Amino acid sequence: MKYFIIYLLVANIFAFALMGIDKAKAKKNKRRIPEKNLFMSAIFGGSIGSIAGMQVFRHKTRHMSFVIGMPVILIVQLVLVYLFVFKL
C-alpha cells in the first residue's frame, strides 16, 4: 500500500508538471506535448495532478475533451480503488 501511495504521488506531480510544461511551450509557440500523452498521464494515476494543472496554469480549460474527460477519468479511478479496497 505504501508503494501505491508513493506511485500516485509521483504520477500526480508528473501530470501536474506536464500541464505546466505544455502551457509554457504553448506561450512560446514551441513543439507541444501531444494531448494523448496528457491523457495517458491522467489515466496512469495522475488525474488529480492533471486537473490541478489545468486550473493552476489555466491550460486546456476550453477543451471540452479535457474539461469533461479528466474528471471522468478521476471518477473511474475512484470507483476502481473503492471496488479494489472494499469489495475484494
Side-chain angles (χ1 to χ4, degrees), residues 1-65:
M1 186 64 150
K2 177 175 105 176
Y3 293 111
F4 180 67
I5 292 170
I6 292 169
Y7 170 79
L8 287 178
L9 183 62
V10 170
N12 280 285
I13 291 169
F14 179 75
F16 182 84
L18 277 183
M19 283 292 182
I21 292 166
D22 193 49
K23 178 66 175 196
K25 288 183 174 197
K27 285 183 176 180
K28 295 178 183 178
N29 289 325
K30 296 215 174 180
R31 189 172 189 162
R32 307 276 302 280
I33 297 170
E35 289 185 354
K36 172 182 76 172
N37 294 358
L38 297 174
F39 273 109
M40 292 306 287
S41 69
I43 289 169
F44 286 113
S47 56
I48 294 172
S50 292
I51 293 168
M54 286 173 60
Q55 298 304 312
V56 169
F57 301 115
R58 292 188 168 156
H59 190 51
K60 302 288 187 187
T61 56
R62 293 185 183 178
H63 296 253
M64 290 323 275
S65 61

